[in-house]
Amino acid sequence: MKAIFKYNILASLPPRLKPLEKLAYNLWFSWHHDIANLFRRMDGELWESSKQNPVYMLGAISQERLEEFAKDAGFLAQMDRVHEELERYVSGHPFPVPEAQEMDRFLVAYFSAEFALAECLPIYSGGLGVLAGDYLKSASDLNLQAVGVGLFYHEGYFQQYLNADGWQQEAYPENDVSTMPVHLMKDEKGRPIMVEVSIRGEAVKIQIWRLMVGRVSLYLLDTNVIENPPEHRYITSRLYGGDGDMRLRQEIVLGIGGVRALSALGIEPTVYHMNEGHSAFSALERIRILRNEQGLSFDAAREFVVATNTFTTHTPVPAGHDVFSPDLMHTYFEDYLQSLGIAFKVFLGFGRHEPANDQEPFSMSVLALRLSAHVNGVSRLHAMVSRNMWHRIWPKNPVEDSPICAITNGIHIPSWISKGMAELFDRYLGPNWIEDPDSRKVWKQVEQIPDSELWRTHERQRERLVAFARKRLQAQLKSFGASAQELSTAAQVLNPEILTIGFARRFVEYKRPGIILQDEARLTKLLTHPERPIQIIVAGKAHPHDASGKELIRRFIHFANREEVRHRFVFIQGYNITVARIMLKGCDMWLNIPRRPMEACGTSGMKAIPNGVLNLSTLDGWWDEGYDQSYGWAIGRGETYEDHDLQDEVESGDFYNLLEREIIPVFYDRGLDNLPYGWLEKMKAAMCHLCPIFNSHRMVQDYTNQFYISASRRYNGLSREEMKGAKELAQWRDKIMTNWDQIRINRINVHDDTPVPVSGHLRIGTDIFLNQLEPEDVDVDIYFGPLSFKDEFTERQTVHMKAADSDGNGNHHFEGKIPCLQTGKYGFTIRIMPSGGKMETPYNTGLVIWAQEQAITD
């Protein structure tokens, strides 16, 4: 029988404890140790069992106990202190963006399908969500004017458990909104603020939850409202759940619904940042609004949206990007396109590499690329891979000119560092390690930490990891009905004093966890060495539909159950943020072995560094630019293989060799005081060199300086005088498109003798027919650089050419000069593109003209 009415019973906080409510409903507690300690003081066991959820705790602690806390002077003093710190924090001055002061508005809207912020909010699956969560936390610390937009998943992502044979099973426990740190957005009359989207012609209502991440608001969209039929209520039930049809529905809610939600809340961003392609429909909705509410043409609206859009791509393989069939797109967007004002075939073209290819599916990432002026990969190597992967979108430009730059990911250090290490930094680095984490000067002070203190702090974290692993393993065995003897044995696995290696990843083929077990006999010798043993702790999930990933997990479980290694090799089930944090704090070395160049960034290794954990990784993702032998180890030298089996064989051998010949000897080489001075030297070097670079404060500042300021300036300029700027830009683009085919490079003159002496210049002139265009409508550049033996550019630079004179009939003469700074074989050509001063990016026009060899004259 079902209840006919549902209600919640909440504890009544005594007036003196009211500050607890504000502390509980702001996720600052997830990276502020003092607040976490306050709630842990109330009930340490409940804090952990509730997944560190203070809202749940305040409802679960008895009224009598709350009354006791209200009279506890020590507790009240601690509560008042951290409450004052929160008040001071949230009232801090906005992030100083000098250029933004010249603008009427500056606000970033950050869209992501998942956000990993705290253990008690399971609305994430992996690295994409962790990155989004760290972004919001750094945006808060920097007080950047930003909001987040995502989906509220009532069942979240699956929780993993294993059967007796080691086969992964999935559970989807429902999130209880009433016990989570979220507030439902309501209007002035107390009614929930609702927006609607159309799904197959039916109106779907969306309510909006607000989550405070320090100073930043995250708005989560939710279709689980009573007004919707069951199939629509389920849209925001599971992260990445269901088939392609369900994925498309979720992305309509996130993109289109997200823009409408911000509008309903009265929030007007100047920059829209799409974290992966899931929210790409937001660009279409913005165009639709500009057409219907501002009276812009489709072209004018598109120019405005492109100029103010940022897109971050995270996936280095085409198969990892969402694509939908033309038939499915027609089913969902036939009615929507009428208000958008374009034909269905034109619409599909925005999501295709080749717009005219009727057989090509619709790609969300291609849509985002075509409708964004600013695009980045999440590491230097990933940006290069992405330029090659998406080159067909800009076919007239060389691959290296594809407009995808690199902004390498970073991590929010306070969220991932151990309490003990944070206290150590407080003593020797001062508070600036939190306030200014991208300062090399601050991190240089790590060298002042006494070796003995650093090592003892790290050893305590290893002890905690071992204790946690034993407890988890016992719980796993107990669920299988294990005997008392088996449980007793599990309580003694691992050793808190030996070299501990951590590996925690998604179990997917390209991350290659199987490398660890490539030579089981050799690994067993390393694990059981009588004098210098190692131990390995593994965690990770496979996608529910990935049978090969699940088979890999089972193989690991079977190996871990072998009598000779079970005390040295442990697999922890239920991989989540909690498991990751404890492993990252307590291991000695972090292992990452993806197949290059398949790892876009891989931020887990970054999280290891401030905890004093060293990295062993293939040269992929961030480690390709971060590696140095003075503070870590690299598997291979950055090679790529066509034969994957050969690659695995070679690199597994390298993995074992490094352990035997370098890593294990350095760890066990001790001084008279039993300190591993060589290892400690590497720990300090890693912190000094990597922490100020690979952190999310630096990342957010990079986005601000490279993307947000420019996009916001465009927003303010184009929206002036009732969108006059956007209309003028569309007219200018029409003029460019009309005249482009008439442009000719008639003659190129090299004014100086060659060869050119070092430190000299090569002066170049060119005559160009622009028809009805003016010199300020185009960018004429000298495109030059060193040449290979095939006369192809190995590197390239550009120098802008200036108009010198005109004949009044469309003919213009341009001049420029190339600096000649090094000896060698060089070459140049002339390139013409639409003016970058007129538009945020000229690449989206697809227009470029290159000089022909016959244009060169003596």
Side-chain angles (χ1 to χ4, degrees):
M1 180 179 293
K2 289 187 176 181
I4 62 170
F5 184 80
K6 294 183 290 184
Y7 57 96
N8 295 315
I9 300 176
L10 301 177
S12 177
L13 280 179
R16 186 65 181 86
L17 297 184
K18 282 298 181 182
L20 289 177
E21 194 170 72
K22 186 161 188 179
L23 291 168
Y25 277 91
N26 192 313
L27 261 70
W28 202 42
F29 68 74
S30 69
W31 74 94
H32 194 278
H33 290 297
D34 288 347
I35 298 178
N37 289 338
L38 177 71
F39 287 107
R40 188 178 285 111
R41 177 176 178 172
M42 297 180 76
D43 189 328
E45 187 174 327
L46 182 58
W47 173 253
E48 297 301 334
S49 65
S50 68
K51 299 180 180 178
Q52 302 182 10
N53 183 347
V55 174
Y56 178 87
M57 285 187 64
L58 294 182
I61 295 177
S62 70
Q63 191 67 41
E64 292 77 14
R65 186 69 176 129
L66 290 175
E67 296 294 344
E68 291 176 12
F69 283 121
K71 299 173 184 177
D72 185 330
F75 178 84
L76 294 175
Q78 183 181 0
M79 179 192 71
D80 290 340
R81 178 174 56 81
V82 295
H83 180 248
E84 288 172 7
E85 290 176 6
L86 176 60
E87 291 292 316
R88 189 162 49 247
Y89 176 82
V90 297
S91 62
H93 296 295
F95 178 52
V97 183
E99 295 84 350
Q101 295 175 5
E102 307 165 7
M103 308 174 199
D104 295 331
R105 291 186 292 273
F106 181 93
L107 178 65
V108 180
Y110 186 85
F111 282 66
S112 182
E114 51 177 300
F115 289 90
L117 292 157
E119 285 83 346
C120 61
L121 280 164
I123 55 173
Y124 64 92
S125 72
L128 181 71
V130 171
L131 182 279
D134 282 6
Y135 171 98
L136 290 188
K137 291 176 180 179
S138 276
S140 171
D141 285 345
L142 292 167
N143 208 354
L144 180 73
Q145 301 303 292
V147 297
V149 180
L151 300 179
F152 186 88
Y153 303 101
H154 284 264
E155 296 181 11
Y157 200 55
F158 74 90
Q159 292 185 12
Q160 174 199 53
Y161 66 99
L162 305 175
N163 66 17
D165 189 42
W167 189 257
Q168 175 182 291
Q169 308 287 307
E170 295 86 33
Y172 292 89
E174 186 169 351
N175 294 323
D176 184 354
V177 181
S178 67
T179 63
M180 304 184 84
V182 295
H183 284 293
L184 186 63
M185 297 303 294
K186 297 180 179 180
D187 61 22
E188 63 279 359
K189 295 183 179 179
R191 298 170 302 192
I193 296 174
M194 295 273 195
V195 294
E196 291 184 359
V197 295
S198 176
I199 301 290
R200 290 180 175 262
E202 295 183 22
V204 175
K205 293 186 178 297
I206 304 169
Q207 61 186 0
I208 309 164
W209 298 94
R210 184 188 189 191
L211 177 65
M212 290 307 302
V213 186
R215 301 176 175 117
V216 172
S217 295
L218 169 60
Y219 296 103
L220 300 173
L221 312 178
D222 178 14
T223 64
N224 187 23
V225 296
I226 196 168
E227 292 88 346
N228 289 330
E231 65 270 22
H232 294 331
R233 295 182 68 170
Y234 196 72
I235 291 174
T236 55
S237 180
R238 294 181 179 179
L239 172 60
Y240 306 142
D243 55 12
D245 188 271
M246 177 57 74
R247 181 69 67 88
L248 183 55
R249 294 179 182 212
Q250 289 185 336
E251 294 180 357
I252 289 172
V253 170
L254 176 61
I256 297 175
V259 172
R260 293 178 182 178
L262 291 178
S263 178
L265 295 170
I267 297 171
E268 186 178 349
T270 59
V271 185
Y272 284 74
H273 188 157
M274 297 175 284
N275 188 42
E276 203 45 281
H278 307 115
S279 59
F281 292 139
S282 62
L284 297 179
E285 177 62 11
R286 294 180 64 207
I287 292 173
R288 188 196 67 80
I289 290 173
L290 288 168
R291 286 192 73 255
N292 291 278
E293 297 182 8
Q294 299 290 340
L296 297 186
S297 66
F298 177 86
D299 289 339
R302 180 190 58 197
E303 293 300 330
F304 183 90
V305 168
V306 167
T308 55
N309 258 1
T310 289
F311 171 51
T312 298
T313 176
H314 291 260
T315 311
V317 290
H321 297 261
D322 288 344
V323 296
F324 303 106
S325 70
D327 288 343
L328 190 62
M329 295 303 294
H330 187 272
T331 299
Y332 278 91
F333 283 90
E334 182 180 15
D335 294 338
Y336 186 82
L337 293 182
Q338 294 179 10
S339 61
L340 205 56
I342 56 174
F344 182 68
K345 188 170 184 178
V346 173
F347 164 64
L348 289 180
F350 280 105
R352 288 170 166 167
H353 288 91
E354 301 172 7
N357 183 357
D358 291 338
Q359 304 306 310
E360 185 179 338
F362 185 94
S363 166
M364 295 295 287
S365 293
V366 173
L367 176 65
L369 287 164
R370 291 195 183 278
L371 294 178
S372 298
H374 303 286
V375 181
N376 73 285
V378 291
S379 69
R380 294 175 191 168
L381 180 59
H382 176 234
M384 182 180 72
V385 171
S386 296
R387 286 191 286 268
N388 280 277
M389 186 165 65
W390 303 114
H391 175 236
R392 285 186 294 161
I393 296 176
W394 307 280
K396 295 183 179 180
N397 291 282
V399 171
E400 57 270 20
D401 283 358
S402 297
I404 302 175
C405 73
I407 293 182
T408 303
N409 283 343
I411 60 123
H412 185 254
I413 293 176
S415 291
W416 297 99
I417 196 169
S418 72
K419 181 175 181 290
M421 198 66 75
E423 291 172 347
L424 198 62
F425 289 167
D426 286 341
R427 288 200 298 275
Y428 291 97
L429 278 64
N432 286 341
W433 77 269
I434 294 178
E435 298 171 3
D436 197 11
D438 54 349
S439 168
R440 294 176 185 271
K441 184 178 179 181
V442 168
W443 288 103
K444 182 72 173 173
Q445 296 175 91
V446 165
E447 297 174 350
Q448 307 304 316
I449 301 175
D451 288 341
S452 58
E453 283 196 60
L454 180 60
W455 189 243
R456 299 298 174 242
T457 299
H458 178 65
E459 284 192 310
R460 284 193 291 272
Q461 288 304 130
R462 192 192 311 121
E463 291 168 2
R464 292 188 180 100
L465 170 59
V466 168
F468 172 81
R470 289 171 174 174
K471 187 176 180 180
R472 273 296 183 100
L473 186 58
Q474 285 180 298
Q476 290 170 208
L477 291 172
K478 191 177 292 185
S479 68
F480 302 148
S483 66
Q485 178 61 42
E486 289 173 314
L487 292 176
S488 176
T489 301
Q492 301 173 55
V493 301
L494 305 176
N495 185 325
E497 297 182 356
I498 68 177
L499 174 58
T500 304
I501 300 171
F503 179 87
R505 321 289 298 167
R506 277 190 301 121
F507 266 63
V508 63
E509 193 275 333
Y510 82 85
K511 291 185 183 288
R512 301 191 302 172
I515 289 286
I516 299 172
L517 303 180
Q518 190 86 359
D519 188 335
E520 294 183 5
R522 193 173 179 184
L523 176 61
T524 300
K525 289 181 180 179
L526 291 171
L527 292 167
T528 59
H529 193 280
E531 298 174 355
R532 294 183 166 185
I534 67 171
Q535 57 194 9
I536 299 178
I537 302 175
V538 180
K541 293 179 177 180
H543 189 277
H545 303 308
D546 183 3
S548 62
K550 291 184 177 182
E551 184 57 47
L552 262 174
I553 291 175
R554 180 159 62 179
R555 182 183 171 194
F556 269 74
I557 297 297
H558 284 196
F559 180 80
N561 286 337
R562 292 184 182 180
E563 186 64 33
E564 66 272 26
V565 300
R566 64 192 312 167
H567 61 304
R568 292 282 185 267
F569 193 96
V570 171
F571 187 98
I572 298 176
Q573 71 176 6
Y575 182 47
N576 57 18
I577 288 182
T578 301
V579 174
R581 277 203 178 101
I582 294 173
M583 290 182 64
L584 284 159
K585 294 171 183 177
C587 289
D588 297 296
M589 192 181 74
W590 195 253
L591 179 63
N592 189 26
I593 38 184
R595 178 174 291 113
R596 176 186 168 106
M598 306 292 280
E599 184 83 280
C601 186
T603 58
S604 65
M606 298 179 189
K607 302 178 182 82
I609 298 298
N611 287 297
V613 180
L614 301 182
N615 275 269
L616 168 62
S617 175
T618 48
L619 290 172
D620 199 7
W622 81 280
W623 195 235
D624 183 63
E625 62 195 80
Y627 163 72
D628 189 279
Q629 62 182 358
S630 65
Y631 48 67
W633 291 272
I635 297 172
R637 298 181 179 179
E639 304 91 345
T640 56
Y641 295 72
E642 291 187 8
D643 186 335
H644 290 173
D645 291 335
L646 174 62
Q647 182 178 10
D648 292 351
E649 181 180 344
V650 171
E651 293 185 347
S652 67
D654 201 11
F655 163 62
Y656 295 125
N657 290 337
L658 284 168
L659 284 174
E660 293 167 345
R661 300 171 187 174
E662 296 186 35
I663 296 168
I664 294 174
V666 172
F667 182 85
Y668 284 107
D669 184 11
R670 305 297 175 98
L672 295 176
D673 51 6
N674 199 35
L675 293 179
Y677 286 102
W679 194 272
L680 282 160
E681 183 180 359
K682 287 180 178 291
M683 287 169 64
K684 289 184 176 181
M687 291 177 184
C688 288
H689 291 91
L690 299 178
C691 286
I693 299 173
F694 297 101
N695 68 79
S696 50
H697 278 44
R698 185 273 312 154
M699 176 188 73
V700 171
Q701 288 172 332
D702 282 352
Y703 278 122
T704 301
N705 294 328
Q706 296 182 41
F707 291 171
Y708 298 161
I709 291 171
S710 177
S712 287
R713 185 178 288 117
R714 289 284 184 181
Y715 181 96
N716 284 274
L718 295 175
S719 62
R720 73 183 193 279
E721 300 177 31
E722 298 181 348
M723 293 290 172
K724 180 181 178 183
K727 295 172 184 176
E728 290 175 346
L729 178 58
Q731 293 170 356
W732 175 82
R733 178 179 171 131
D734 286 343
K735 183 175 75 167
I736 289 288
M737 302 295 286
T738 301
N739 286 275
W740 196 258
D741 289 343
Q742 306 301 315
I743 295 176
R744 295 190 304 274
I745 300 176
N746 292 322
R747 188 169 61 92
I748 300 172
N749 288 109
V750 179
H751 298 310
D752 301 291
D753 295 331
T754 56
V756 185
V758 171
S759 299
H761 289 85
L762 190 65
R763 293 183 299 115
I764 298 166
T766 181
D767 293 331
I768 300 175
F769 176 68
L770 294 177
N771 199 26
Q772 297 179 33
L773 299 179
E774 298 298 329
E776 59 267 23
D777 292 327
V778 296
D779 285 337
V780 180
D781 297 315
I782 306 171
Y783 189 100
F784 70 100
L787 301 178
S788 68
F789 71 95
K790 294 181 178 180
D791 290 341
E792 295 175 344
F793 291 108
T794 57
E795 299 176 16
R796 80 274 187 267
Q797 300 180 55
T798 59
V799 167
H800 188 65
M801 303 185 78
K802 295 182 178 179
D805 57 62
S806 305
D807 67 359
N809 295 314
N811 295 297
H812 303 267
H813 183 71
F814 291 79
E815 293 280 349
K817 58 183 180 181
I818 303 173
C820 301
L821 304 178
Q822 293 181 320
T823 60
K825 181 182 179 183
Y826 284 74
F828 79 87
T829 186
I830 302 294
R831 182 187 68 181
I832 306 175
M833 297 185 74
S835 170
K838 297 278 190 180
M839 39 190 347
E840 192 68 8
T841 174
Y843 287 92
N844 284 359
T845 64
L847 302 177
V848 60
I849 293 173
W850 297 93
Q852 302 300 311
E853 190 172 347
Q854 56 268 28
I856 290 282
T857 61
D858 295 331

